[in-house]
Amino acid sequence: MILHTESFGTGEPLVFLHNGLLTGLTDFEFQRDHLKGRYHVILPDLRGHGESASDELDRFFEDNAADLAETFDHLGIEAAHIVGASLGALVGIIFAKRYPAKVKSLAISGVIAEKPANWPELHKQEAHKWRQILHYEEAITYYSQMHKGDWRKFIEMGQAEDWYPFEETKDLSDIGSPVLYIAGEGNPREVEGVLYYPGKHDHVHVSVIPFASHLVHAEQAEVYTQTLELFLSQID
């Protein structure tokens, strides 16, 4: 499917892939406004989010990668810089693996590189946290207004212990473009990737940003954006 997109500015295409249960316009807002003067900033709604309504989420990551490729073709984009956070970063990794010619660079944050030994326990805690959303009427109203599709399906998807694509995150060797991995110091599982990735991949650059955790792009927007700009400036 062709994803609903919003775009700002002109220049090299720079695609931001939003976090789960957000949309292109409700995530990466600081980065969008800061970079639209130098880049063609493109903000898709991932499958099932925002205006990209779909109830077919069984192959969420693979389908979103294919959706993004189809959207590129529809918009006449040959290749772009890809930036993703959390769920969007996972889509970005798979897109870069499946469609390498369409990726000039990849910047990711909010990603766990290796499956933790205590993953069942961690997943149980995370799944419980997401289920709590369904007990708050204000949250239900908020997300129902934001998404045309049934956003509850994402919470259902996350209840499965094997939902996280560790088989993809553990190995970035088949991504040919430069990669930037950013972690917030407050998330130790993600900080572990700062040591893990460079030891296995020469093309991966890393950064730890203080006073931030999982959503580092929002929690320390200015520092994150400066780091992203530095990374992009090094790419031919």
Side-chain angles (χ1 to χ4, degrees):
M1 65 180 283
I2 296 173
L3 301 173
H4 173 82
T5 60
E6 302 285 347
S7 63
F8 299 84
T10 58
E12 281 192 295
L14 177 59
V15 178
F16 287 99
L17 302 179
H18 61 78
N19 182 27
L21 289 185
L22 293 179
T23 68
L25 285 178
T26 58
D27 204 1
F28 287 106
E29 295 175 88
F30 181 91
Q31 290 77 22
R32 173 191 72 205
D33 292 339
H34 185 80
L35 295 170
K36 65 184 181 182
R38 280 165 287 166
Y39 292 92
H40 178 198
V41 175
I42 300 163
L43 309 166
D45 289 348
L46 295 174
R47 175 180 286 242
H49 289 77
E51 301 289 324
S52 298
S54 174
D55 291 330
E56 297 179 13
L57 305 177
D58 293 341
R59 300 175 67 255
F60 180 78
F61 297 110
E62 292 287 348
D63 285 345
N64 262 290
D67 293 342
L68 192 56
E70 186 174 351
T71 303
F72 273 33
D73 293 341
H74 175 73
L75 296 175
I77 298 170
E78 292 186 7
H81 301 287
I82 308 294
V83 182
S86 193
L87 192 75
L90 299 175
V91 172
I93 289 171
I94 294 173
F95 179 73
K97 290 186 174 188
R98 306 296 186 269
Y99 304 94
K102 294 182 179 294
V103 179
K104 293 182 178 181
S105 70
L106 174 66
I108 53 176
S109 62
V111 169
I112 304 174
E114 287 188 292
K115 187 175 183 178
N118 63 338
W119 175 247
E121 178 185 345
L122 293 173
H123 170 262
K124 184 177 180 180
Q125 295 171 357
E126 191 72 10
H128 175 74
K129 183 186 76 173
W130 282 106
R131 285 198 305 272
Q132 295 310 298
I133 292 176
L134 302 176
H135 296 291
Y136 295 96
E137 197 61 40
E138 288 184 2
I140 292 173
T141 300
Y142 173 74
Y143 287 119
S144 295
Q145 291 174 344
M146 185 183 296
H147 305 292
K148 281 190 172 181
D150 185 2
W151 56 271
R152 295 170 180 82
K153 287 184 176 292
F154 289 101
I155 295 179
E156 294 174 12
M157 182 179 79
Q159 300 303 300
E161 189 177 309
D162 62 351
W163 81 272
Y164 203 95
F166 287 111
E167 70 282 0
E168 302 289 352
T169 62
K170 70 180 182 181
D171 185 5
L172 306 183
S173 60
D174 49 353
I175 297 178
S177 56
V179 177
L180 173 63
Y181 176 84
I182 302 177
E185 69 169 357
N187 193 309
R189 294 188 301 277
E190 294 171 11
V191 171
E192 289 174 2
V194 172
L195 296 177
Y196 174 85
Y197 282 127
K200 294 177 177 292
H201 310 92
D202 292 338
H203 66 307
V204 178
H205 307 273
V206 296
S207 175
V208 177
I209 294 181
F211 310 110
S213 187
H214 180 61
L215 299 179
V216 60
H217 69 290
E219 295 161 0
Q220 289 295 335
E222 290 190 32
V223 180
Y224 172 96
T225 305
Q226 290 170 0
T227 305
L228 176 62
E229 285 184 293
L230 179 60
F231 170 66
L232 293 173
S233 72
Q234 306 300 309
I235 298 169
D236 294 332

